[in-house]
């Protein structure tokens, strides 16, 4: 038998303090960005979502990027004979320092930021009882209701990655590629 434990939603104080930390980091980078030789505005798409990205070239070996990602995906899937409704909401913004060791396209990225990614699932009570406690299925009416679950991580998530390209390093148009790891904490 499996037990599911409901966890309380993140406290507003914790969300507020993480958001304030990200905003302070952005303002700390702002004076350097205003002296930047070049800046760029772009659009990005990846596993963290789709959204705008600002990039500031601080020097020959350093860029500062602020990528934002949003995306919502809904699906109905059948796992172990139970039909679940699922919704994945991606909402995040990072502040990244891109280090270009040879002053070229290769970059090492490190930073972190606000993470409000959420996975919501729901399933009918009668289906869950039928699957996990079949001996009780006849006692539960078909319209008994729905059980909802939600998984979220920490509101601050560190990031490390590497890639090629830099929006602020080139002509009018450019392309950038990156692979990285973001740690959202325990769901």
């Amino acid at each position: 038998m499996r037990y599911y434990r409901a966890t309380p939603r993140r406290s507003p104080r914790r969300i507020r303090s993480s958001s304030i930390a990200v905003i302070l980091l952005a303002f700390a980078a702002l004076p350097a960005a205003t002296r930047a030789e070049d800046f760029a505005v772009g659009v990005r798409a990846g596993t963290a979502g789709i959204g705008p990205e600002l990039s500031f070239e601080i020097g020959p070996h350093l860029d500062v990027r602020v990528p934002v990602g949003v995306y919502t995906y809904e699906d109905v899937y059948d796992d172990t004979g139970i039909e679940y409704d699922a919704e994945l909401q991606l909402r995040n913004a990072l502040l990244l320092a891109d280090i270009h060791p040879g002053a070229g396209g290769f970059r090492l990225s490190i930073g972190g930021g606000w993470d409000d990614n959420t996975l919501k699932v729901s399933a009918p009570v009668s289906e869950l009882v039928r699957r996990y406690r079949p001996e009780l299925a006849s006692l539960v009416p078909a319209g008994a209701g729905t059980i909802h679950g939600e998984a979220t991580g920490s509101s601050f998530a560190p990031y490390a990655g590497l890639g090629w390209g830099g929006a602020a390093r080139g002509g009018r148009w450019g392309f950038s590629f990156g692979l990285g790891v973001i740690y959202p904490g325990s769901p």
Side-chain angles (χ1 to χ4, degrees), residues 42-54:
V43 177
R44 69 189 310 257
T47 56
I50 300 168
E53 178 175 281
L54 299 175

Side-chain angles (χ1 to χ4, degrees), residues 88-161:
L88 176 64
Q89 296 175 342
L90 300 175
R91 293 186 300 251
N92 51 72
L94 300 172
L95 178 62
L96 304 176
D98 291 338
I99 302 162
H100 296 266
F106 177 74
R107 70 171 185 251
L108 300 170
S109 302
I110 190 162
W114 172 69
D115 176 31
D116 192 27
N117 299 333
T118 306
L119 173 63
K120 297 177 181 179
V121 295
S122 62
V125 172
S126 59
E127 288 294 311
L128 291 168
V129 170
R130 181 187 58 77
R131 172 71 171 117
Y132 294 109
R133 297 294 302 266
E135 70 275 8
L136 300 176
S138 61
L139 301 175
V140 178
T146 304
I147 292 182
H148 301 276
E150 183 175 301
T152 59
S154 173
S155 58
F156 178 80
Y159 174 90

